[in-house]
Amino acid sequence: MPLVNDMAPPTSGETYFFRDHGQFDLLRLRLLPELIERRRSARTLRLWSAGCASGEEAYSLAMLVDMLLPEHDGWDIVILGSDINQAALAKARRGRYGQWSFRMVPTALQQRYFQRMGDEWALDERIRRMVTFRAGNLIGEPSPGGEWRDMDLILCRNVFIYFAVNAVTAVADKLSAALSEGGYLLTGHTELIGHRVRDLRSRLFAEGVVYQRVAQAPYTPLPNLPPQAGEGAKKTPSLAHSAAEGVEAPSPVRSAGEGWDGGKLPVPPPAAPSREDLLATAREFADRGEYDRAEQTCLQALAVVPLAAGPHFLLAQLAQLRGDFERAGELLDQTLYLDPHCVAAYLEQAALCERAENLPRAQTLRRAALEIVRALPGDATIEPYETTAAEMAQWLAQ
């Protein structure tokens, strides 16, 4: 049922820890390490789980921060969770969960941060204290002021689907205003596709699309126009006058392709772009949110090398952004056929299976990715994640 601006959106009740491994891989491998390094001198970090329901997402963020920044004494770390459902927030503050909340959590990670208490699992008190929960309506409050400001990262996933079109834009603008410069907004897949949000640019990673707050361009005044003739304009001296007055005369300007004797030189035809160049260009288009141009460039790359895995993988990501998850799965299958060792394709396909609640296949695909990275040298870089095989193996094995 579509919502209008004066209605409170329903809470997103379906949640579990580390829901959507693809997006949490993106947080662990790219976004949070970048933000931690950016804030290292100030020793501050501000994160917000908007529409947090019973708290699993907010606590997942806290666990990631604890893993990435184990020595965070002296840091001012703020992790906020907000929702309109008071009963869900009460459960979140309690920090106890049934086994269903751990259906995609590795056993070692569950045992590291939780303690079994009867039929429930109690979150480590140290992690529980890292998160503050507040009641709030995204359409009304909280506003970008107060504690809801200067956020380095906002997660608002599977929430926009409940909003009418005008409410989507209003809420996204509000979240954008709450971000610090360079901060990230992570939504559910395709939730903001087709919506223009003030001061946000889309960035496409292997694990999905995120939105980054960009600085507003400073005002640049127009240059002063040169004075007109008769208004005191100083004429440019001719070459003859320059030589006579001891001023070095500029070298004569030659057009492209003109030899020093004035004759025309043969101009070689431009080289055809390589598949690597086309794929790099396609990624640049995708990073700027020009998805149609990215797709056309991928198709050009496949015209050069039809059996290249890279363009198929990028096309799969673009299909996900359009909401065509069936086509995305087909393209990922083709990617794995062409490159059976493409770790990113296994993990992206696993994320699609999680989305479809096909958890057994998702776990099988992640185990296949683990076997690949374990066979690599520990210092080998796993593309396009910019992490080592040893780091990736440690995470997948948890």
Side-chain angles (χ1 to χ4, degrees):
M1 176 179 173
L3 298 170
V4 295
N5 280 342
D6 58 352
M7 293 180 63
T11 185
S12 177
E14 172 61 23
T15 185
Y16 47 88
F17 289 103
F18 297 98
R19 182 181 183 183
D20 194 328
H21 268 297
Q23 290 190 327
F24 271 97
D25 284 345
L26 175 60
L27 289 168
R28 180 185 64 88
L29 296 169
R30 293 287 192 89
L31 303 186
L32 283 174
E34 176 189 321
L35 292 172
I36 288 171
E37 192 58 35
R38 188 191 304 170
R39 297 301 187 194
R40 191 170 295 278
S41 58
R43 300 176 75 81
T44 64
L45 193 64
R46 298 179 58 81
L47 315 176
W48 177 12
S49 170
C52 66
S54 49
E56 286 92 333
E57 180 180 86
Y59 286 136
S60 296
L61 277 177
M63 285 183 270
L64 280 184
V65 171
D66 185 69
M67 286 184 276
L68 294 169
L69 193 62
E71 302 295 331
H72 52 258
D73 290 343
W75 279 71
D76 180 15
I77 297 176
V78 174
I79 303 176
L80 296 175
S82 69
D83 204 274
I84 64 169
N85 189 319
Q86 294 283 3
L89 290 175
K91 178 180 178 181
R93 294 187 180 102
R94 186 167 176 260
R96 294 193 178 189
Y97 298 91
Q99 186 58 41
W100 188 238
S101 291
F102 300 91
R103 55 191 181 274
M104 285 304 295
V105 178
T107 301
L109 195 63
Q110 183 176 354
Q111 294 175 346
R112 176 177 175 178
Y113 288 111
F114 294 85
Q115 182 178 359
R116 187 69 179 261
M117 302 190 73
D119 294 334
E120 295 180 315
W121 290 82
L123 179 63
D124 186 299
E125 183 67 17
R126 181 175 55 87
I127 301 299
R128 195 175 70 85
R129 288 197 303 266
M130 292 177 67
V131 182
T132 301
F133 293 99
R134 296 277 190 266
N137 177 356
L138 287 172
I139 291 180
E141 295 293 336
S143 67
E147 62 183 340
W148 313 97
R149 73 186 193 286
D150 298 329
M151 291 292 166
D152 298 302
L153 171 71
I154 299 175
L155 268 62
C156 188
R157 305 186 304 158
N158 307 305
V159 174
F160 289 102
I161 56 175
Y162 296 112
F163 295 159
V165 173
N166 57 344
V168 169
T169 302
V171 172
D173 283 344
K174 178 180 295 186
L175 296 179
S176 172
L179 286 170
S180 62
E181 182 180 327
Y184 289 105
L185 170 63
L186 183 61
T187 71
H189 297 286
T190 76
E191 283 190 290
L192 289 186
I193 299 301
H195 297 276
R196 295 187 63 84
V197 183
R198 205 168 43 234
D199 301 328
L200 290 183
R201 74 178 180 109
S202 59
R203 296 188 60 189
L204 184 62
F205 294 90
E207 307 87 346
V209 66
V210 298
Y211 302 89
Q212 187 173 29
R213 174 70 185 257
V214 294
Q216 293 187 5
Y219 170 71
T220 304
L222 292 173
N224 293 326
L225 295 175
Q228 300 297 315
E231 297 180 359
K234 183 178 179 181
K235 296 182 179 180
T236 303
S238 66
L239 294 180
H241 283 102
S242 298
E245 296 172 6
V247 180
E248 182 179 356
S251 300
V253 178
R254 294 176 172 81
S255 61
E258 181 180 342
W260 290 105
D261 60 356
K264 294 292 183 180
L265 296 176
V267 179
S274 66
R275 186 260 302 176
E276 290 79 7
D277 291 339
L278 287 168
L279 183 57
T281 300
R283 286 172 175 156
E284 290 176 3
F285 284 142
D287 191 45
R288 295 201 298 265
E290 300 179 41
Y291 301 128
D292 289 339
R293 297 183 72 183
E295 183 172 4
Q296 290 302 315
T297 309
C298 278
L299 296 176
Q300 292 177 30
L302 289 176
V304 177
V305 184
L307 300 182
H312 283 88
F313 181 76
L314 183 52
L315 285 171
Q317 292 180 283
L318 295 171
Q320 289 188 68
L321 294 177
R322 292 194 305 271
D324 191 348
F325 299 107
E326 181 178 356
R327 179 58 178 157
E330 294 171 354
L331 287 162
L332 288 171
D333 285 340
Q334 293 172 22
T335 302
L336 290 171
Y337 176 79
L338 297 169
D339 182 4
H341 294 89
C342 182
V343 173
Y346 280 106
L347 297 181
E348 193 72 7
Q349 189 72 287
L352 285 180
C353 290
E354 290 175 31
R355 185 182 184 280
E357 298 294 335
N358 187 352
L359 304 187
R361 184 166 185 237
Q363 292 171 337
T364 298
L365 289 162
R366 292 179 71 82
R367 282 196 298 269
L370 175 59
E371 291 177 4
I372 293 171
V373 297
R374 278 178 169 169
L376 296 172
D379 59 352
T381 300
I382 304 298
E383 298 293 344
Y385 298 112
E386 298 179 2
T387 190
T388 65
E391 292 169 338
M392 178 70 79
Q394 182 179 7
W395 173 254
L396 292 174
Q398 290 179 333

